[in-house]
Amino acid sequence: MCWIKRTKRLIRFTSLFQLSIIISFVWVFSVSVCAEQTDNPALPAVDLPDEPVVVDTAEMQIRVEIITEKLSHPWGLAFLPDGGILVTERDGRLRLVRGDRLSDEVIKGLPQVHAVGVAGLMDIALHPLFRENRWLYFTYSKPDADEVRVALGRGRLKGMSLSNVEDLFLSDILGGSGAAASRIVFGKDGSLYMTVGGAFGEEFGNRAQELTDTGGKVIRLNDDGSIPEDNPFAGQHNAKAEIYSLGHRNQLGLAINPETGEVWANENGPLGGDEINVITAGGNYGWPLVSYSRHYSGPRVASRSWQQGMEEAEIVWLPSIAPSGMTFVTSDLFPQWKNNVFVGSLRTGMIRNTGHLERIVFNDDGQEQHREWILSEFRQRIRDVRQGPDGLLYVLTDADDAALLRLSPAQ
């Protein structure tokens, strides 16, 4: 195992106390990184093409174009009114793409980020009135003494720097390496919705079910970080008023249904049982009391997949696809894809180099009709997908030398 090899190199140079700390850290790191990189089987890796290529899909041909391959583990993106694209990198950098070119200069002003393993700088969103107020919102893993929390920050973007940077929300303390996914989106009501993951494994018990703990929840806030008075648990004894829904494991995708205004979120199960949920005020989505998942060690997480008083998932994946960023397509440029949901996949069935873009089609009654894999031939981990103001789709891969892709109709 890779964590054992790393530990052996350090034994001769450390005291017993230091060694115990190192072993604990490396073990946590290995759970999130080593297993994925070395222990699991994999298809051969494939390099992205140097030139734009045309790809067949079930209903149309699309053109796949690489904008840049100089990103390091990007997490989220947002489109500026002047045509620029902001991209977060997990290590704590905020990058700017303008005119299909990645700027060498990094946007300054972000706070210190706990960038260890899969923790770090995550999602980004513009205030609905960004043109007037310049507020930029972001989520990140925040070091807090010897602990880590998920934070929601904001700052005013001017040129290549942020000012008036402040934290609007801090989660409860996370365990392990501090890895907990967080996405943000503004709803049609102007509220900001934020996911807080971190409800991993048996060692964290039922924290996703605890209303005094923000881990494993969807949070709802006003744009200034205050708590809406109509939140479902506002004013309730022994409950945190910012909680909007509970019973989530680790949510890597969040989007607003453009037709209904509903909040949709996807989350990763450990081994199978990934879900898309339609989030309702006060809804309990079951983790870990009900689940289709199994633990990485094999046993089932729960004895049942649903029970009375809990919300059923809209979509379930067996085997797991490790869903990530998610968007609805509304563009007239893709008439065959109108109102479809697109979800990034980091890998499928615990096999590396099997990431793809998954398209989910619904009938007129809103029920799932069929699914399609797109970009699977590139064998990339897909971290995020967004529809741009130009009506095209933009996709982030996840790697040391990751890419920003643009998808357009081949015609």
Side-chain angles (χ1 to χ4, degrees):
M1 295 175 64
C2 64
W3 73 273
I4 293 176
K5 294 177 182 177
R6 291 192 181 107
T7 304
K8 284 181 177 178
R9 297 190 192 109
L10 299 172
I11 288 176
R12 70 179 69 182
F13 302 110
T14 59
S15 68
L16 183 60
F17 175 74
Q18 290 171 322
L19 181 60
S20 65
I21 295 176
I22 292 170
I23 290 175
S24 298
F25 170 78
V26 175
W27 170 255
V28 170
F29 184 81
S30 71
V31 168
S32 62
V33 177
C34 295
E36 181 170 322
Q37 292 183 347
T38 60
D39 292 346
N40 292 320
L43 294 179
V46 173
D47 292 332
L48 287 170
D50 294 329
E51 301 293 332
V53 296
V54 174
V55 172
D56 288 321
T57 72
E59 295 175 339
M60 63 186 300
Q61 287 187 320
I62 59 171
R63 184 175 187 260
V64 180
E65 180 182 4
I66 298 174
I67 297 175
T68 180
E69 285 187 272
K70 297 180 179 180
L71 296 165
S72 175
H73 297 284
W75 227 93
L77 67 156
F79 303 94
L80 293 171
D82 63 5
I85 303 175
L86 295 173
V87 181
T88 58
E89 291 182 316
R90 196 173 66 202
D91 285 347
R93 291 178 296 273
L94 180 57
R95 311 297 301 274
L96 174 65
V97 176
R98 190 182 299 283
D100 289 358
R101 179 184 175 274
L102 178 66
S103 173
D104 294 331
E105 185 180 357
V106 176
I107 294 174
K108 301 176 179 64
L110 283 172
Q112 181 185 358
V113 172
H114 174 81
V116 176
V118 295
L121 180 61
M122 292 177 280
D123 209 9
I124 188 172
L126 305 184
H127 190 281
L129 300 177
F130 177 81
R131 287 179 183 270
E132 289 79 27
N133 59 34
R134 308 298 294 181
W135 281 121
L136 178 69
Y137 294 74
F138 53 92
T139 57
Y140 68 106
S141 305
K142 182 181 181 68
D144 181 14
D146 295 328
E147 306 290 349
V148 183
R149 302 174 188 265
V150 169
L152 170 68
R154 74 170 179 176
R156 293 187 189 273
L157 180 65
K158 184 176 181 180
M160 293 297 290
S161 64
L162 289 173
S163 62
N164 304 108
V165 175
E166 58 182 335
D167 287 331
L168 299 181
F169 167 81
L170 292 175
S171 76
D172 289 287
I173 293 171
L174 304 170
S177 65
S182 180
R183 291 280 182 189
I184 47 176
V185 68
F186 278 94
K188 289 191 172 183
D189 60 357
S191 299
L192 185 144
Y193 295 86
M194 171 184 177
T195 68
V196 179
F200 303 112
E202 300 166 274
E203 67 271 26
F204 292 104
N206 290 344
R207 77 176 301 180
Q209 293 293 319
E210 300 294 334
L211 289 175
T212 56
D213 188 330
T214 52
K217 308 297 190 300
V218 172
I219 303 300
R220 180 175 178 247
L221 302 168
N222 294 317
D223 63 352
D224 61 357
S226 61
I227 299 172
E229 295 181 356
D230 60 347
N231 268 10
F233 303 106
Q236 182 172 317
H237 181 62
N238 290 332
K240 295 203 169 182
E242 57 265 42
I243 293 174
Y244 191 73
S245 66
L246 64 150
H248 305 287
R249 182 176 178 268
N250 202 36
Q251 301 166 94
L252 276 75
L254 190 64
I256 301 298
N257 186 319
E259 289 196 331
T260 64
E262 297 167 328
V263 180
W264 286 41
N266 70 51
E267 64 184 84
N268 280 220
L271 196 60
D274 301 336
E275 300 175 352
I276 292 180
N277 292 302
V278 179
I279 305 301
T280 59
N284 186 341
Y285 292 82
W287 178 264
L289 304 181
V290 297
S291 177
Y292 289 90
S293 301
R294 289 184 292 115
H295 293 294
Y296 292 117
S297 57
R300 293 192 177 277
V301 170
S303 60
R304 62 182 71 182
S305 59
W306 177 81
Q307 69 183 38
Q308 194 72 30
M310 294 186 178
E311 306 295 327
E312 291 193 77
E314 187 72 25
I315 300 291
V316 175
W317 281 278
L318 292 167
S320 205
I321 69 162
S324 55
M326 177 170 65
T327 195
F328 286 82
V329 172
T330 60
S331 172
D332 291 333
L333 298 176
F334 300 102
Q336 300 93 328
W337 291 354
K338 206 77 171 287
N339 300 321
N340 294 177
V341 171
F342 279 70
V343 181
S345 162
L346 297 168
R347 65 179 182 186
T348 304
M350 299 294 285
I351 306 295
R352 290 184 293 122
N353 300 330
T354 54
H356 59 276
L357 190 60
E358 187 138 334
R359 169 179 168 246
I360 305 173
V361 183
F362 299 88
N363 62 21
D364 293 338
D365 295 323
Q367 301 160 332
E368 180 189 353
Q369 194 167 35
H370 59 263
R371 307 182 194 184
E372 179 185 11
W373 286 18
I374 299 172
L375 307 184
S376 56
E377 59 266 48
F378 298 128
R379 299 183 183 177
Q380 299 290 313
R381 289 167 54 85
I382 304 300
R383 174 60 70 183
D384 201 8
V385 54
R386 306 282 177 102
Q387 180 178 290
D390 56 6
L392 303 179
L393 289 180
Y394 292 79
V395 176
L396 286 174
T397 69
D398 179 27
D400 291 331
D401 51 353
L404 173 61
L405 310 177
R406 179 165 52 214
L407 276 56
S408 58
Q411 291 80 0

